[in-house]
Amino acid sequence: MSGLVLKDFLFMKKQVRYYLAIIVVYCVLCFFWDQPGILLTLGCVVSMIYPIQAFAGDEGCHWQMMERILPVSLGRVVLARYLSTLLVSLAAVGGGALVMWIYYAVRGEALPDEMLFLALCIAGVVFLIEALVIPVLYRFGSSSGRLVMIVILVLVFGAVYLCSHVIGLSPDDPELNRMLMRYIYFFPAVGFVCLIPSCLISLALYRKKEY
């Protein structure tokens, strides 16, 4: 299984310029908008882009046909894809956190307490994105999967807009903030647990695929 993870990382080397461009854009936005917390969201972006590119790379070289004859179970093949995506996404979050720490260190300021709150939120979101994206890609492939993900994002942002402008939930609501601070430590755990049924769904979809 480690070889499959390494294969994904080797494919990622071909996309280094693409990821560096994303990092540069985020760093520029961080200093231009004076919003260092935006760097933590880099993990969310990578957790969506990386699996799509990994699946596209496999489809481009017909790697799925090779996987069928490898002396590795299908479960390990699917698990390797989850593991590589998770490692890359968490590395992006960690890199963003490091640059954010440097940002505050250069300004001679202490790291705000709310950044821990934001980091926990982002970690949970990364797990949830991975749990959602990978089964979609196993079901529809990289090309159709992109369109499905766009639809999902529109629905998510629509739900956020509905909560904030129609229902009346606001990030500035003190009651909402107290509730979030009380349960935020469970959010990454909930997101991680969601990976278990997601992995089982992906395995079931992968077994039904014919190459």
Side-chain angles (χ1 to χ4, degrees), residues 54-106:
F55 273 87
D58 287 353
E59 293 170 4
C61 64
H62 304 289
W63 174 256
Q64 296 93 338
M65 298 176 63
M66 294 293 297
E67 288 177 338
R68 297 289 179 163
I69 62 175
L70 291 175
V72 181
S73 66
L74 297 182
R76 288 182 176 271
V77 171
V78 172
L79 187 60
R81 178 52 51 85
Y82 274 83
L83 183 58
S84 66
T85 302
L86 184 61
L87 291 176
V88 170
S89 301
L90 292 181
V93 174
L98 177 62
V99 175
M100 186 176 64
W101 178 82
I102 294 173
Y103 172 88
Y104 281 105
V106 169

Side-chain angles (χ1 to χ4, degrees), residues 7-25:
K7 182 267 298 180
D8 285 346
F9 288 161
L10 291 176
F11 173 77
M12 185 182 177
K13 288 177 61 177
K14 301 179 182 179
Q15 311 292 330
V16 168
R17 293 181 181 178
Y18 184 76
Y19 288 102
L20 287 177
I22 295 176
I23 293 172
V24 169
V25 169

Side-chain angles (χ1 to χ4, degrees), residues 12 19 22-23 26-27 36-52 82 84-100 118-131 133 149 153:
M12 185 182 177
Y19 288 102
I22 295 176
I23 293 172
Y26 265 77
C27 290
I38 195 176
L39 290 168
L40 291 175
T41 63
L42 182 62
C44 296
V45 176
V46 172
S47 63
M48 292 190 64
I49 295 177
Y50 171 77
I52 292 176
Y82 274 83
S84 66
T85 302
L86 184 61
L87 291 176
V88 170
S89 301
L90 292 181
V93 174
L98 177 62
V99 175
M100 186 176 64
L118 181 59
L120 291 172
C121 286
I122 296 301
V125 169
V126 165
F127 292 145
L128 291 174
I129 289 176
E130 182 176 351
V133 170
M149 289 310 304
L153 285 175

Side-chain angles (χ1 to χ4, degrees), residues 65-200:
M65 298 176 63
M66 294 293 297
E67 288 177 338
R68 297 289 179 163
I69 62 175
L70 291 175
V72 181
S73 66
L74 297 182
R76 288 182 176 271
V77 171
V78 172
L79 187 60
R81 178 52 51 85
Y82 274 83
L83 183 58
S84 66
T85 302
L86 184 61
L87 291 176
V88 170
S89 301
L90 292 181
V93 174
L98 177 62
V99 175
M100 186 176 64
W101 178 82
I102 294 173
Y103 172 88
Y104 281 105
V106 169
R107 293 168 61 98
E109 300 176 3
L111 197 65
D113 294 336
E114 57 266 21
M115 288 304 166
L116 174 61
F117 172 85
L118 181 59
L120 291 172
C121 286
I122 296 301
V125 169
V126 165
F127 292 145
L128 291 174
I129 289 176
E130 182 176 351
L132 179 64
V133 170
I134 296 181
V136 169
L137 292 173
Y138 270 114
R139 174 62 180 85
F140 298 101
S142 60
S143 299
S144 300
R146 290 187 179 97
L147 298 177
V148 175
M149 289 310 304
I150 291 175
V151 173
I152 292 174
L153 285 175
V154 170
L155 293 175
V156 170
F157 283 113
V160 172
Y161 179 86
L162 181 67
C163 291
S164 59
H165 291 81
V166 179
I167 300 178
L169 292 178
S170 171
D172 298 325
D173 185 358
E175 184 64 29
L176 177 62
N177 287 331
R178 280 195 296 270
M179 183 182 68
L180 290 176
M181 289 300 293
R182 184 181 306 170
Y183 297 108
I184 189 59
Y185 298 100
F186 298 100
F187 189 47
V190 171
F192 187 80
V193 169
C194 289
L195 289 174
I196 298 175
S198 172
C199 188
L200 295 175

